[in-house]
Amino acid sequence: MDELTKVRELRADAPVPDRARLAPGRARLIEAARAGERRRELWRRREFVIVGVVAAVTAVAVTVSLLVGGGAGHRVQPASSPSATQGPRLKGVSAAEFLRRAADVLAAEPDGTVPGAKQWVYTKDAREPLDEKRAKAGGMLGPEQESWLRYDGTATAGPRWNAKGEDTGKLTITPMHLENGAEGDDRSPREMYRVLAALPADAQGTLEYLREKNAIADNKGESQAKADYNEISVLLNAKVMPAKGLASLYRALATLPGGELTDHLVDTAAGRRAVALDYGRTADAKLGNVMRDQWLIDPRTYRIVGMRMVSGDQVLGGSSLVATAVVDEAGDRS
């Protein structure tokens, strides 16, 4: 097998290889290692299994190095629909102003029904950027992928592939133990929901609460703002999120430096028009590239509908949400 070629094929799913990027992906790495699959999955980011979990994590870091040093990526495109001007006013609006506005809307909404422990969270994601070659290839390298995760974190499920990389129509269900620190930094959707539901309404209170919990250990020498962003960014990817908890995260994020709001809606691989909010700037000293997390936000609901890594106007990788639902059985979609 030519591992480097395989890594390059999966470069669209490569995360920034710091603790906040790698820790939440460990659950998916374990799943793939046990099932013998070579496919990516999302809690926070992606994986490529070569030999076991350790090799998979290493491959993620290698992917980023190849990605930053090579391919041109895909440009961030403005929304192409004639109705793309609909939605919130973005021109002349700062990231902090947008986040506070979104928080006010969300804080007024009910949180909805909390899933049962034995229910599953179904997600269907589109890979960013949408690659026409992948779209035609289908199979494990197809542009859209589905997954199910039990709300209590005791199992995950995904399509079962045959030797030709074709979906058999059956599911592979893998036992997991995400709660109470059994899988390291990873948390179940239930645990993440509980943290979000407990967040204070104000920005400073939220930051203090997250610093006390310190779910993602701070990297030596990093600033408090960077540590705060790492904590917030993991929770922004929670599979089930109370509206008031998301409002608290937005208010806290609005106080951090480095946010930039694109002044127009952008198109995503999932076929949505979304607000693009950039945060988490990092620079590679050798390559001179600056990479950012770009959060994709629904302009009507203010919910997170994707996240991708960008450098300049190039989309380097990530995913956007096609569909999600809380269901009673793995394999259900609604």
Side-chain angles (χ1 to χ4, degrees):
M1 176 189 298
D2 184 349
E3 286 88 357
L4 291 180
T5 298
K6 291 296 183 182
V7 169
R8 291 189 183 98
E9 290 176 353
L10 294 183
R11 68 186 186 278
D13 299 316
V16 178
D18 59 16
R19 185 176 177 83
R21 295 289 80 79
L22 296 178
R26 187 180 300 112
R28 302 306 181 198
L29 298 176
I30 293 171
E31 172 196 353
R34 288 171 178 167
E37 298 175 357
R38 283 170 172 79
R39 55 184 294 269
R40 76 98 172 98
E41 186 47 83
L42 175 74
W43 178 8
R44 182 80 169 101
R45 285 310 119 217
R46 320 285 180 253
E47 90 289 349
F48 175 66
V49 177
I50 298 175
V51 181
V53 177
V54 175
V57 175
T58 302
V60 171
V62 172
T63 302
V64 173
S65 299
L66 292 172
L67 179 65
V68 176
H74 291 228
R75 293 185 180 278
V76 178
Q77 295 293 341
S80 56
S81 168
S83 59
T85 56
Q86 297 178 359
R89 179 177 61 86
L90 301 176
K91 286 188 178 296
V93 177
S94 70
E97 290 172 332
F98 172 80
L99 287 167
R100 288 193 290 265
R101 179 200 307 166
D104 290 343
V105 173
L106 289 163
E109 296 180 1
D111 285 339
T113 303
V114 180
K118 296 182 180 180
Q119 288 187 293
W120 297 72
V121 183
Y122 163 71
T123 54
K124 183 177 183 180
D125 299 306
R127 299 160 65 116
E128 294 278 352
L130 179 60
D131 189 316
E132 293 182 1
K133 292 182 179 179
R134 285 179 180 162
K136 294 178 181 178
M140 287 186 289
L141 295 181
E144 296 181 350
Q145 297 190 10
E146 297 178 299
S147 66
W148 290 259
L149 178 62
R150 234 177 78 143
Y151 186 62
D152 62 5
T154 59
T156 185
R160 184 179 302 173
W161 311 96
N162 61 24
K164 296 180 179 180
E166 300 168 334
D167 188 346
T168 64
K170 299 179 180 180
L171 290 181
T172 295
I173 298 179
T174 305
M176 303 188 77
H177 305 283
L178 292 181
E179 295 197 337
N180 301 316
E183 299 278 4
D185 290 327
D186 296 322
R187 297 292 181 265
S188 70
R190 179 168 63 181
E191 285 181 315
M192 295 185 76
Y193 187 96
R194 288 171 176 170
V195 171
L196 287 161
L199 292 177
D202 65 296
Q204 189 58 38
T206 294
L207 290 174
E208 291 175 359
Y209 182 87
L210 294 177
R211 290 168 187 171
E212 179 183 353
K213 292 296 182 182
N214 197 31
I216 299 298
D218 299 342
N219 293 323
K220 185 178 180 179
E222 73 180 0
S223 66
Q224 183 62 62
K226 177 60 176 175
D228 290 338
Y229 175 76
N230 288 343
E231 298 281 350
I232 293 171
S233 65
V234 171
L235 288 169
L236 285 175
N237 269 299
K239 287 185 175 292
V240 183
M241 190 177 299
K244 292 179 178 58
L246 180 56
S248 296
L249 291 182
Y250 281 169
R251 289 193 175 110
L253 188 58
T255 68
L256 302 184
E260 289 190 6
L261 186 72
T262 302
D263 66 359
H264 55 260
L265 299 181
V266 301
D267 286 325
T268 74
R272 293 176 182 264
R273 297 193 308 278
V275 176
L277 180 69
D278 290 13
Y279 264 94
R281 295 176 175 274
T282 59
D284 187 290
K286 293 182 179 180
L287 300 173
N289 288 353
V290 176
M291 294 184 293
R292 310 184 307 280
D293 291 345
Q294 184 174 86
W295 299 96
L296 303 171
I297 301 173
D298 188 293
R300 298 179 302 277
T301 67
Y302 294 105
R303 294 277 182 167
I304 301 290
V305 292
M307 185 272 192
R308 56 195 186 187
M309 186 170 64
V310 298
S311 179
D313 62 354
Q314 304 294 314
V315 179
L316 305 179
S319 68
S320 54
L321 185 66
V322 177
T324 186
V326 175
V327 297
D328 292 332
E329 301 287 342
D332 292 348
R333 294 175 173 82
S334 62

Coordinates of all heavy atoms in Angstrom, one line a residue, residues 210-269:
L210 N -15.6 27.2 32.1 CA -14.8 26.4 31.2 C -13.4 26.2 31.7 O -12.7 25.2 31.6 CB -14.8 26.9 29.8 CG -16.2 26.8 29.1 CD1 -16.1 27.4 27.7 CD2 -16.8 25.4 29.0
R211 N -12.8 27.3 32.2 CA -11.5 27.3 32.7 C -11.4 26.3 34.0 O -10.4 25.6 34.2 CB -11.0 28.7 33.1 CG -10.7 29.6 31.9 CD -10.6 31.0 32.3 NE -10.5 31.9 31.2 CZ -10.5 33.2 31.3 NH1 -10.6 33.8 32.4 NH2 -10.5 34.0 30.2
E212 N -12.4 26.4 34.8 CA -12.5 25.5 36.0 C -12.6 24.0 35.5 O -11.9 23.2 36.1 CB -13.6 25.9 36.8 CG -13.8 25.0 38.1 CD -15.0 25.4 38.9 OE1 -15.7 26.4 38.6 OE2 -15.3 24.6 39.9
K213 N -13.4 23.7 34.6 CA -13.6 22.4 34.1 C -12.3 21.9 33.4 O -11.9 20.7 33.5 CB -14.8 22.3 33.2 CG -16.1 22.5 33.9 CD -16.4 21.4 34.9 CE -17.7 21.6 35.6 NZ -18.0 20.6 36.6
N214 N -11.7 22.7 32.5 CA -10.5 22.4 31.8 C -10.5 21.1 31.2 O -9.7 20.2 31.4 CB -9.3 22.5 32.8 CG -8.0 22.6 32.0 OD1 -7.9 23.2 30.9 ND2 -6.9 22.1 32.6
A215 N -11.6 20.8 30.4 CA -11.7 19.5 29.7 C -10.6 19.3 28.7 O -10.2 18.1 28.5 CB -13.1 19.5 29.0
I216 N -10.1 20.3 28.1 CA -9.0 20.2 27.2 C -7.8 20.8 27.8 O -7.7 22.0 28.1 CB -9.3 20.8 25.8 CG1 -10.5 20.2 25.1 CG2 -8.0 20.7 24.9 CD1 -10.3 18.8 24.8
A217 N -6.8 20.0 28.2 CA -5.6 20.5 28.9 C -4.9 21.5 28.1 O -4.8 21.4 26.9 CB -4.7 19.3 29.3
D218 N -4.5 22.6 28.8 CA -3.8 23.7 28.1 C -2.5 23.3 27.7 O -1.7 22.6 28.4 CB -3.7 24.9 29.1 CG -5.0 25.4 29.6 OD1 -6.0 25.1 28.9 OD2 -5.1 26.1 30.6
N219 N -2.1 23.7 26.5 CA -0.8 23.5 26.0 C 0.2 24.4 26.6 O -0.1 25.6 26.8 CB -0.7 23.6 24.5 CG -1.5 22.5 23.7 OD1 -1.5 21.4 24.2 ND2 -2.2 22.9 22.7
K220 N 1.4 23.9 26.9 CA 2.4 24.7 27.6 C 2.8 25.9 26.7 O 3.1 25.8 25.5 CB 3.7 23.9 27.8 CG 4.8 24.6 28.6 CD 5.9 23.7 28.9 CE 7.0 24.4 29.7 NZ 8.2 23.5 30.0
G221 N 2.8 27.1 27.4 CA 3.2 28.3 26.7 C 2.1 29.0 25.9 O 2.3 30.1 25.4
E222 N 0.9 28.4 25.7 CA -0.2 29.0 24.9 C -0.9 30.1 25.8 O -0.9 30.0 27.0 CB -1.1 28.0 24.4 CG -2.1 27.4 25.4 CD -3.0 26.4 24.8 OE1 -3.0 26.2 23.6 OE2 -3.9 25.9 25.5
S223 N -1.4 31.1 25.1 CA -2.1 32.2 25.8 C -3.4 31.7 26.4 O -4.0 30.7 26.0 CB -2.4 33.3 24.8 OG -3.3 32.9 23.8
Q224 N -4.0 32.5 27.3 CA -5.3 32.2 27.9 C -6.4 32.2 26.8 O -7.3 31.4 26.8 CB -5.6 33.2 29.0 CG -6.9 32.8 29.7 CD -6.9 31.5 30.4 OE1 -6.1 31.3 31.3 NE2 -7.7 30.6 30.0
A225 N -6.3 33.2 25.9 CA -7.3 33.3 24.8 C -7.3 32.0 24.0 O -8.3 31.5 23.6 CB -7.0 34.5 24.0
K226 N -6.1 31.5 23.7 CA -6.0 30.3 22.9 C -6.6 29.1 23.6 O -7.3 28.3 23.1 CB -4.5 30.0 22.5 CG -4.3 28.7 21.7 CD -5.1 28.7 20.4 CE -4.7 27.4 19.6 NZ -5.5 27.3 18.4
A227 N -6.3 29.0 24.9 CA -6.8 27.9 25.7 C -8.3 28.0 25.8 O -9.1 27.0 25.7 CB -6.2 27.9 27.1
D228 N -8.9 29.2 25.9 CA -10.3 29.4 26.0 C -10.9 29.0 24.6 O -12.0 28.4 24.6 CB -10.6 30.9 26.2 CG -10.3 31.3 27.7 OD1 -10.2 30.5 28.5 OD2 -10.1 32.5 27.9
Y229 N -10.3 29.4 23.6 CA -10.8 29.0 22.2 C -10.8 27.5 22.1 O -11.8 27.0 21.5 CB -10.0 29.6 21.1 CG -10.4 29.2 19.8 CD1 -11.6 29.7 19.2 CD2 -9.7 28.2 19.1 CE1 -12.0 29.2 17.9 CE2 -10.2 27.7 17.8 CZ -11.3 28.3 17.3 OH -11.8 27.8 16.1
N230 N -9.8 26.8 22.5 CA -9.8 25.4 22.4 C -11.0 24.7 23.1 O -11.6 23.8 22.6 CB -8.5 24.8 23.0 CG -7.3 25.1 22.1 OD1 -7.4 25.5 20.9 ND2 -6.1 25.0 22.7
E231 N -11.3 25.2 24.3 CA -12.4 24.7 25.1 C -13.7 25.0 24.3 O -14.6 24.1 24.2 CB -12.5 25.3 26.5 CG -11.3 25.1 27.4 CD -11.3 23.7 28.0 OE1 -12.3 23.0 27.9 OE2 -10.3 23.3 28.6
I232 N -13.9 26.2 23.9 CA -15.1 26.5 23.2 C -15.3 25.8 21.9 O -16.4 25.3 21.6 CB -15.2 28.1 22.9 CG1 -15.3 28.8 24.2 CG2 -16.3 28.5 22.0 CD1 -15.1 30.3 24.1
S233 N -14.2 25.6 21.1 CA -14.3 25.0 19.8 C -14.7 23.6 19.9 O -15.5 23.1 19.0 CB -13.0 25.1 19.1 OG -12.0 24.4 19.7
V234 N -14.3 22.8 20.9 CA -14.8 21.5 21.1 C -16.3 21.4 21.4 O -17.0 20.6 20.8 CB -14.0 20.8 22.2 CG1 -14.6 19.4 22.6 CG2 -12.5 20.6 21.9
L235 N -16.8 22.3 22.2 CA -18.2 22.3 22.5 C -19.0 22.7 21.4 O -20.2 22.4 21.2 CB -18.4 23.2 23.8 CG -17.9 22.6 25.1 CD1 -18.0 23.7 26.2 CD2 -18.8 21.4 25.5
L236 N -18.5 23.6 20.5 CA -19.2 24.0 19.3 C -19.6 22.8 18.4 O -20.4 23.0 17.5 CB -18.5 25.1 18.5 CG -18.4 26.5 19.2 CD1 -17.5 27.4 18.3 CD2 -19.8 27.1 19.3
N237 N -18.9 21.7 18.5 CA -19.1 20.5 17.7 C -20.0 19.5 18.4 O -20.1 18.4 18.0 CB -17.8 19.9 17.3 CG -17.3 20.4 16.0 OD1 -18.0 20.3 15.0 ND2 -16.2 21.1 16.0
A238 N -20.6 19.9 19.6 CA -21.5 19.0 20.3 C -22.6 18.5 19.3 O -23.2 19.3 18.6 CB -22.1 19.6 21.5
K239 N -23.0 17.2 19.4 CA -24.0 16.7 18.5 C -25.4 17.1 18.8 O -26.3 17.2 18.0 CB -23.8 15.2 18.4 CG -22.6 14.7 17.6 CD -22.6 13.2 17.5 CE -21.4 12.8 16.6 NZ -21.6 13.2 15.2
V240 N -25.6 17.3 20.1 CA -26.9 17.8 20.6 C -26.7 19.0 21.5 O -25.9 18.9 22.4 CB -27.7 16.7 21.4 CG1 -29.1 17.2 21.8 CG2 -27.8 15.4 20.6
M241 N -27.2 20.1 21.1 CA -26.8 21.4 21.8 C -28.1 22.2 22.2 O -28.9 22.6 21.4 CB -26.0 22.2 20.8 CG -25.3 23.4 21.5 SD -24.2 24.3 20.4 CE -23.0 23.0 19.9
P242 N -28.2 22.5 23.5 CA -29.3 23.4 24.0 C -29.0 24.8 23.4 O -27.9 25.3 23.4 CB -29.2 23.3 25.5 CG -27.8 22.9 25.8 CD -27.3 22.0 24.6
A243 N -30.1 25.4 23.1 CA -30.0 26.8 22.5 C -29.3 27.8 23.4 O -28.5 28.5 23.0 CB -31.4 27.3 22.1
K244 N -29.7 27.7 24.7 CA -29.1 28.7 25.6 C -27.6 28.4 25.9 O -26.8 29.3 26.1 CB -29.9 28.6 26.9 CG -31.3 29.2 26.8 CD -32.0 29.1 28.1 CE -33.4 29.7 28.0 NZ -34.2 29.0 27.0
G245 N -27.2 27.1 25.8 CA -25.8 26.8 25.9 C -25.0 27.3 24.7 O -23.9 27.8 24.9
L246 N -25.5 27.2 23.5 CA -24.9 27.7 22.4 C -24.8 29.3 22.5 O -23.7 29.9 22.1 CB -25.6 27.3 21.1 CG -25.0 27.8 19.8 CD1 -23.6 27.4 19.6 CD2 -25.8 27.3 18.6
A247 N -25.8 29.9 23.0 CA -25.8 31.3 23.2 C -24.6 31.7 24.1 O -23.9 32.7 23.9 CB -27.1 31.8 23.7
S248 N -24.4 30.9 25.2 CA -23.4 31.2 26.1 C -22.0 31.1 25.4 O -21.1 31.9 25.7 CB -23.4 30.2 27.3 OG -24.6 30.5 28.1
L249 N -21.8 30.1 24.6 CA -20.6 29.9 23.9 C -20.3 31.1 23.0 O -19.2 31.6 22.9 CB -20.6 28.6 23.1 CG -20.6 27.3 23.8 CD1 -20.5 26.1 22.9 CD2 -19.4 27.2 24.8
Y250 N -21.3 31.5 22.3 CA -21.2 32.6 21.3 C -20.8 33.9 22.1 O -19.9 34.7 21.6 CB -22.5 32.9 20.6 CG -22.7 32.0 19.4 CD1 -24.0 31.9 18.8 CD2 -21.8 31.1 18.9 CE1 -24.2 31.1 17.7 CE2 -22.0 30.3 17.9 CZ -23.2 30.3 17.3 OH -23.5 29.4 16.2
R251 N -21.4 34.1 23.2 CA -21.0 35.3 24.0 C -19.6 35.3 24.5 O -18.9 36.3 24.5 CB -22.0 35.5 25.2 CG -23.4 35.9 24.8 CD -24.2 36.3 26.0 NE -25.5 36.8 25.5 CZ -26.7 36.2 25.7 NH1 -26.7 35.0 26.4 NH2 -27.8 36.7 25.3
A252 N -19.2 34.1 24.9 CA -17.8 33.9 25.4 C -16.8 34.1 24.2 O -15.8 34.8 24.3 CB -17.6 32.6 26.0
L253 N -17.2 33.5 23.0 CA -16.3 33.6 21.9 C -16.2 35.0 21.4 O -15.1 35.4 20.9 CB -16.9 32.7 20.8 CG -16.0 32.5 19.5 CD1 -14.7 31.9 19.8 CD2 -16.8 31.6 18.5
A254 N -17.2 35.8 21.6 CA -17.2 37.2 21.1 C -16.2 38.0 21.8 O -15.7 39.1 21.3 CB -18.6 37.8 21.3
T255 N -15.7 37.6 23.0 CA -14.7 38.3 23.8 C -13.3 38.0 23.4 O -12.4 38.7 23.8 CB -14.9 38.1 25.3 OG1 -14.6 36.7 25.6 CG2 -16.3 38.3 25.7
L256 N -13.1 36.9 22.6 CA -11.8 36.5 22.3 C -11.2 37.2 21.0 O -12.0 37.5 20.1 CB -11.8 35.0 22.0 CG -12.2 34.1 23.2 CD1 -12.1 32.6 22.8 CD2 -11.5 34.4 24.5
P257 N -10.0 37.5 21.0 CA -9.4 38.1 19.8 C -9.3 37.2 18.6 O -9.3 36.0 18.8 CB -8.0 38.6 20.3 CG -7.6 37.5 21.3 CD -8.9 37.2 22.0
G258 N -9.1 37.8 17.4 CA -8.8 37.0 16.2 C -10.0 36.6 15.4 O -9.8 35.9 14.4
G259 N -11.2 36.9 15.8 CA -12.4 36.6 15.0 C -12.5 37.4 13.8 O -12.3 38.7 13.8
E260 N -12.9 36.8 12.6 CA -13.2 37.6 11.4 C -14.5 37.1 10.8 O -14.6 35.8 10.6 CB -12.0 37.5 10.4 CG -10.8 38.3 10.8 CD -9.8 38.3 9.7 OE1 -10.1 37.9 8.6 OE2 -8.7 38.8 10.0
L261 N -15.3 37.9 10.4 CA -16.6 37.6 9.7 C -16.5 37.9 8.2 O -16.2 39.0 7.8 CB -17.8 38.3 10.4 CG -19.2 38.0 9.9 CD1 -19.6 36.6 10.5 CD2 -20.2 39.0 10.4
T262 N -16.8 36.9 7.4 CA -16.9 37.1 6.0 C -18.1 38.0 5.7 O -19.2 37.7 6.2 CB -16.9 35.8 5.2 OG1 -15.8 35.0 5.5 CG2 -17.0 36.0 3.7
D263 N -18.0 39.0 4.8 CA -19.1 39.9 4.6 C -20.2 39.4 3.6 O -21.0 40.2 3.2 CB -18.6 41.3 4.2 CG -17.9 41.3 2.8 OD1 -17.9 40.2 2.2 OD2 -17.4 42.3 2.4
H264 N -20.2 38.1 3.3 CA -21.2 37.6 2.4 C -21.4 36.1 2.8 O -20.5 35.5 3.4 CB -20.8 37.7 0.9 CG -19.5 37.0 0.7 ND1 -18.3 37.8 0.5 CD2 -19.1 35.7 0.5 CE1 -17.3 37.0 0.3 NE2 -17.7 35.7 0.3
L265 N -22.5 35.6 2.5 CA -22.8 34.1 2.7 C -21.9 33.3 1.8 O -21.6 33.8 0.6 CB -24.2 33.8 2.5 CG -25.3 34.5 3.4 CD1 -26.7 34.0 3.1 CD2 -24.9 34.2 4.9
V266 N -21.5 32.1 2.2 CA -20.7 31.2 1.3 C -21.4 29.9 1.1 O -22.3 29.6 1.8 CB -19.3 30.9 2.0 CG1 -18.6 32.2 2.3 CG2 -19.5 30.2 3.3
D267 N -21.1 29.3 0.0 CA -21.6 28.0 -0.4 C -20.8 26.9 0.3 O -19.6 26.9 0.4 CB -21.6 27.7 -1.9 CG -22.6 28.6 -2.6 OD1 -23.7 28.7 -2.1 OD2 -22.3 29.0 -3.7
T268 N -21.5 25.9 0.8 CA -20.8 24.7 1.4 C -21.0 23.5 0.6 O -21.9 23.5 -0.3 CB -21.4 24.4 2.8 OG1 -22.7 23.8 2.7 CG2 -21.5 25.7 3.7
A269 N -20.3 22.5 0.8 CA -20.4 21.2 0.1 C -21.7 20.5 0.3 O -22.1 19.7 -0.5 CB -19.2 20.3 0.5

